[in-house]
Amino acid sequence: MNWCLYLYPIRKQKPLLTLVDGKSHLAGEYCFYSNTITIYSDNNVLHRELINTVIHEYFHYYLITSESKSKLYHDQLEQFSLAHHPQEILCNTMGETLTKLYLKNK
């Protein structure tokens, strides 16, 4: 996550990153209200998956900077579904692209 913060700084208070064991239908999630990125280890077995998920969730943190933007995300989730959500498309693309860059430069 420090790599993301270096490339894309946005706020002084970085999100708390939490790794959680156990079942979830999600690979990770960002909560604006607690400023927390939660990563579900059972769904991020491979190193590449973990990096992609952290970057993906970092971009939710990067984009959701207010309560109104958090509400917009959830409203659009009902409107578009997860697969067609505009922010999910962006976060998926950033995750995939930057994971390749991160692994190439590591």
Side-chain angles (χ1 to χ4, degrees):
M1 187 166 63
N2 288 333
W3 186 73
C4 290
L5 288 163
Y6 173 75
L7 292 178
Y8 300 95
I10 182 138
R11 291 178 262 183
K12 289 185 179 184
Q13 186 177 1
K14 69 180 182 179
L16 175 66
L17 183 62
T18 306
L19 187 62
V20 175
D21 291 327
K23 301 286 182 197
S24 174
H25 66 283
L26 301 172
E29 61 185 319
Y30 170 68
C31 177
F32 167 77
Y33 298 101
S34 62
N35 194 31
T36 303
I37 292 175
T38 303
I39 305 296
Y40 298 99
S41 60
D42 287 2
N43 298 333
N44 292 282
V45 177
L46 301 175
H47 186 63
R48 182 182 196 84
E49 291 171 335
L50 178 61
I51 293 166
N52 188 330
T53 300
V54 169
I55 293 171
H56 174 107
E57 297 307 328
Y58 179 83
F59 274 90
H60 284 300
Y61 156 79
Y62 189 81
L63 294 167
I64 300 173
T65 57
S66 66
E67 189 171 347
S68 63
K69 289 179 182 177
S70 180
K71 183 180 179 327
L72 175 63
Y73 172 85
H74 291 287
D75 290 347
Q76 288 177 336
L77 192 57
E78 291 180 23
Q79 182 182 357
F80 294 107
S81 81
L82 193 61
H84 298 99
H85 191 290
Q87 192 173 121
E88 289 297 330
I89 292 167
L90 178 61
C91 291
N92 285 335
T93 302
M94 293 304 289
E96 292 168 13
T97 302
L98 291 177
T99 295
K100 290 175 191 171
L101 182 63
Y102 179 84
L103 291 172
K104 179 181 175 185
N105 293 322
K106 256 326 197 177

